[in-house]
Amino acid sequence: MSNKETEILDEKPIDFIRAKIKEDIANNKNEGRVHTRFPPEPNGYLHIGHSKSINLNFSLAKEFGGKCNLRFDDTNPSKEEVEYVDSIKRDIKWLGFDWADREYYASDYFDEIFEYAVILIKKGKAYVDSSSMEEIKTSRGMPTSPGVESPFRNRSVQENLDLFERMKNGEFKDGEHVLRAKIDMSSPNMNMRDPVLYRIKNESHHRTGDKWCIYPMYDMAHGQSDSIERITHSICTLEFENHRPLYDWLIKEIEIFPPQQIEFARLNISYTMMSKRKLLLLVQEGIVDGWDDPRMPTLSGMRRAGYTPEAINSFAEGVGVAKRNALVDVAKLEHSLRDHLNKITDRRMAVLNPLKVTITNYPGDQTEELEAINNPEDETAGIRKLPFCSELFIDRDDFMEDPPKKYFRLSPGNEVRLKYAYFIKCEEVLKNDSGEVIELKCTYDPETKSGTGTSTRKVKSTIHWVSARHAFDAEVRLYDRLFSVEDPASTKDGKDFRDVLNPNSLEILSACKLEPSLQEAKSEDKFQFERLGYFCVDSKYSSQGKPVFNRTVTLRDTWARINKK
Ligand code: ATP
Ligand code: MG
């Protein structure tokens, strides 16, 4: 590596994974090669936790001039589907990472892995066990007491080879036999107590069809797949730490290329549940509107909600890599999101709960166009014209008939600024028969025109508005956190995650009034609705000229305030 490259690396904060890789490069291990992989099991959609692993593996490859493969760990035929494979590829691309032509499948290695098993049998390191799964489980013992050796443990190599071949040829039913490694039934590490390597499953696989009726266990396939791909650094999460001795044992006995496994802590986020198995239940039970429901922590859900890949990557990098599991505050993720959206989104006016305002001293037939800044954070975003006339809508929240002391928004006799327009003063409140406020009669002051007005008067509050004659009706969906507790995955007292759902995680407002320029917004376009938050055009329910908006996130962390109360 050149000096310049080393300098660039030195600027990055060094975590223990990068330190290890640097050390390996310095020792010329694997000729200084760095090759990582992201190995999803295609049994669900990717979630925000996976983005940590994706970002890490692809970034390491990039930083150290190496490569990162995408490998589907598709060893379990029953739970895997093509839909998941496609969604995983889409999501990784969306995050901005590229595996080039290195799209691999553990199922492509079934022949090699079978041969590895034969090698182990021939060396007397694996045997066919005809005990039932239940017997195997109980004979394993407890971590504190040794297991019991299987009565089939000392079958001859010949008999094992013959049985294993017949297992492969489909002569047996599910569960009749398994192949086990012959290691040590008294090992303190349960994974070393003759783990099962192969099982019979008379099932079709989404890629290999009916070719196989025996399938390698994850522990038999994972390390071997890494080895076949000559992965130098096999990064995984902590729960595989005590599988490492087994992986190392297998690699040594089969005598193949040894990847270095390095474990780091899983990313866990408060108010978020990441197990694919449980997320699948949310989908199957109709608790959410599919894997891409904007409340889901899946990348497709977050994309639909309006998250940007930049926000997710900057969050993933910001949390760093740790050796101990911890719960990261979801506010951190939302902070990254607001930070990015603040820079890139145009501001727009949207009235979610409309209240009619008539300006009695503005000519009834007149319309004027006022200038509004698209994005104060980005000069290149320019300006747009907002139509203004005598009939407007403001948000109901911005008016109170009997305001408390520190309420500075509109109230009878009080004056506020309409953003990019004029000061208005509330002169009269109209109600329907049931006493509900239905309209406000106001006057405006022409001297207070935004930008050019001569008035030096000040008001304490600025509110947003739209022209009633020009705004269009739209549906806006206010999404909020799906769960109401910090750690929905570990509930107590016989409750599960279904018992801790946030009942207000979705509010659909069907009669919102939006400024005209929003009408042609396209799927996934993102905006800041002035004073309300960030919103994006829903990719599922919108159609040409009829956008439906999803709230991505509020402008401030409203939960922090609730929790302090
Ligand atoms: P889950 O338990 O959520 O279903 P998983 O680990 O079974 O996830 P895989 O498809 O096996 O899902 O994961 C692919 C890769 O992503 C693995 O290397 C795994 O370690 C990593 N990964 C999964 N969840 C997280 C997480 N929360 N934080 C960091 N990495 C993760
Ligand atoms: Mg897994």
Side-chain angles (χ1 to χ4, degrees):
M1 198 184 307
S2 72
N3 275 344
K4 193 154 172 257
E5 277 166 313
T6 330
E7 264 169 41
I8 294 170
L9 288 180
D10 283 345
E11 286 170 15
K12 284 245 165 201
I14 280 285
D15 52 63
F16 69 97
I17 296 180
R18 288 178 168 87
K20 173 76 181 110
I21 295 179
K22 282 186 100 173
E23 184 191 311
D24 290 345
I25 292 173
N27 294 332
N28 203 32
K29 188 175 174 186
N30 303 313
E31 297 80 47
R33 210 164 50 81
V34 173
H35 202 149
T36 58
R37 84 288 172 264
F38 173 65
E41 184 181 349
N43 62 347
Y45 280 59
L46 294 181
H47 52 60
I48 178 79
H50 291 114
S51 74
K52 172 72 225 177
S53 176
I54 295 168
N55 183 292
L56 181 61
N57 279 295
F58 281 95
S59 301
L60 289 174
K62 195 168 175 198
E63 282 164 45
F64 293 99
K67 290 179 181 149
C68 179
N69 296 354
L70 168 60
R71 182 176 68 245
F72 291 98
D73 253 325
D74 56 351
T75 50
N76 185 352
S78 13
K79 290 190 287 179
E80 294 157 2
E81 283 179 34
V82 183
E83 176 197 349
Y84 298 140
V85 169
D86 293 342
S87 77
I88 289 170
K89 291 199 277 188
R90 194 163 54 234
D91 289 345
I92 301 174
K93 277 190 196 143
W94 177 69
L95 277 184
F97 299 105
D98 183 9
W99 56 90
D101 56 354
R102 295 180 307 279
E103 175 182 328
Y104 301 126
Y105 293 80
S107 57
D108 288 344
Y109 310 140
F110 281 171
D111 285 300
E112 279 106 319
I113 298 171
F114 179 82
E115 287 309 320
Y116 295 156
V118 170
I119 291 173
L120 292 173
I121 296 173
K122 285 185 177 161
K123 285 177 95 172
K125 298 288 180 183
Y127 61 97
V128 173
D129 194 338
S130 311
S131 314
S132 69
M133 264 305 182
E134 203 44 49
E135 284 163 343
I136 292 176
K137 216 171 146 196
T138 45
S139 67
R140 275 223 163 141
M142 305 290 283
T144 46
S145 60
V148 178
E149 292 190 356
S150 162
F152 301 97
R153 197 173 199 258
N154 294 314
R155 273 177 164 151
S156 70
V157 167
Q158 208 41 52
E159 191 184 357
N160 282 323
L161 283 175
D162 176 59
L163 280 171
F164 191 49
E165 183 67 24
R166 289 170 58 198
M167 280 167 67
K168 178 195 176 192
N169 293 341
E171 292 185 26
F172 305 113
K173 291 202 259 329
D174 287 12
E176 259 185 271
H177 309 280
V178 293
L179 184 75
R180 292 177 75 177
K182 195 172 186 174
I183 311 180
D184 178 4
M185 287 308 288
S186 58
S187 169
N189 183 340
M190 297 291 282
N191 294 311
M192 299 298 269
R193 293 188 186 175
D194 292 10
V196 174
L197 303 180
Y198 261 91
R199 64 196 153 162
I200 300 170
K201 267 193 175 233
N202 288 288
E203 269 179 55
S204 290
H205 184 280
H206 75 110
R207 283 178 64 87
T208 56
D210 292 326
K211 178 175 174 190
W212 295 92
C213 50
I214 54 170
Y215 291 94
M217 302 297 289
Y218 182 84
D219 280 349
M220 177 64 184
H222 188 78
Q224 279 50 266
S225 303
D226 279 347
S227 177
I228 290 168
E229 292 174 17
R230 300 193 107 57
I231 297 303
T232 57
H233 298 86
S234 170
I235 318 270
C236 65
T237 40
L238 280 181
E239 68 272 23
F240 293 102
E241 192 169 18
N242 57 12
H243 292 238
R244 176 151 39 94
L246 171 58
Y247 297 164
D248 290 347
W249 183 91
L250 287 165
I251 294 279
K252 188 168 136 267
E253 294 298 343
I254 305 168
E255 298 174 45
I256 47 176
F257 176 80
Q260 164 78 55
Q261 175 170 307
I262 310 175
E263 305 88 12
F264 74 102
R266 225 164 226 280
L267 171 66
N268 293 308
I269 303 179
S270 61
Y271 297 96
T272 310
M273 184 179 75
M274 291 199 223
S275 146
K276 277 183 282 187
R277 191 177 55 77
K278 291 179 185 163
L279 295 176
L280 177 63
L281 290 174
L282 289 174
V283 174
Q284 285 174 337
E285 294 175 15
I287 295 169
V288 296
D289 174 29
W291 282 99
D292 66 349
D293 184 297
R295 292 163 295 182
M296 288 283 267
T298 53
L299 296 180
S300 52
M302 294 169 80
R303 174 164 64 239
R304 210 177 129 200
Y307 271 77
T308 61
E310 289 87 344
I312 294 174
N313 282 318
S314 111
F315 167 74
E317 280 155 28
V319 295
V321 287
K323 273 188 174 158
R324 235 182 276 158
N325 286 318
L327 198 61
V328 175
D329 190 342
V330 69
K332 248 193 180 157
L333 173 62
E334 291 170 351
H335 175 81
S336 293
L337 179 62
R338 291 188 185 100
D339 201 46
H340 188 230
L341 292 176
N342 181 39
K343 290 185 197 123
I344 62 159
T345 55
D346 279 356
R347 276 54 171 168
R348 291 291 182 268
M349 300 276 213
V351 172
L352 302 188
N353 294 300
L355 173 61
K356 179 95 185 278
V357 168
T358 302
I359 314 282
T360 51
N361 59 341
Y362 193 88
D365 54 357
Q366 186 176 314
T367 296
E368 69 178 302
E369 298 215 299
L370 302 170
E371 284 192 348
I373 294 169
N374 281 328
N375 184 353
E377 302 288 320
D378 176 7
E379 277 177 17
T380 64
I383 55 161
R384 69 186 186 288
K385 303 277 191 195
L386 282 176
F388 182 90
C389 66
S390 64
E391 291 175 319
L392 311 172
F393 287 113
I394 63 166
D395 250 310
R396 282 192 175 267
D397 283 356
D398 287 330
F399 171 78
M400 274 184 104
E401 199 175 7
D402 294 305
K405 230 180 173 179
K406 287 204 169 152
Y407 187 89
F408 300 117
R409 288 172 271 167
L410 206 55
S411 58
N414 192 36
E415 195 174 36
V416 295
R417 179 200 309 273
L418 295 179
K419 184 134 197 186
Y420 298 124
Y422 301 94
F423 290 7
I424 59 167
K425 186 173 179 184
C426 177
E427 310 282 359
E428 194 187 342
V429 180
L430 306 187
K431 296 179 186 177
N432 63 13
D433 293 343
S434 44
E436 190 194 354
V437 176
I438 49 165
E439 188 180 337
L440 306 177
K441 300 266 186 209
C442 298
T443 50
Y444 88 115
D445 178 353
E447 302 303 315
T448 59
K449 184 168 175 173
S450 171
T452 54
T454 52
S455 166
T456 53
R457 254 175 322 121
K458 290 211 163 33
V459 282
K460 283 218 164 90
S461 190
T462 301
I463 67 173
H464 60 278
W465 56 277
V466 292
S467 154
R469 281 184 222 143
H470 301 86
F472 70 103
D473 288 344
E475 178 177 304
V476 176
R477 297 174 155 235
L478 302 183
Y479 287 103
D480 201 345
R481 293 176 190 170
L482 187 55
F483 296 103
S484 55
V485 299
E486 258 205 339
D487 195 359
S490 39
T491 44
K492 294 195 184 77
D493 308 326
K495 287 186 177 174
D496 79 359
F497 60 90
R498 298 170 184 87
D499 302 310
V500 293
L501 292 163
N502 170 13
N504 305 315
S505 64
L506 170 59
E507 188 184 348
I508 298 179
L509 302 173
S510 50
C512 304
K513 301 282 183 184
L514 309 188
E515 78 164 72
S517 69
L518 285 168
Q519 189 147 19
E520 293 313 315
K522 302 277 177 303
S523 175
E524 293 186 19
D525 279 356
K526 297 166 181 57
F527 301 93
Q528 183 194 104
F529 288 176
E530 297 268 6
R531 300 178 61 232
L532 298 176
Y534 295 98
F535 291 74
C536 99
V537 178
D538 187 74
S539 55
K540 192 162 175 176
Y541 295 121
S542 303
S543 54
Q544 175 68 38
K546 265 188 99 43
V548 169
F549 285 88
N550 294 332
R551 181 171 68 196
T552 310
V553 69
T554 50
L555 286 180
R556 262 161 261 105
D557 184 357
T558 47
W559 283 65
R561 259 186 290 158
I562 293 168
N563 290 343
K564 266 186 212 142
K565 266 184 198 166

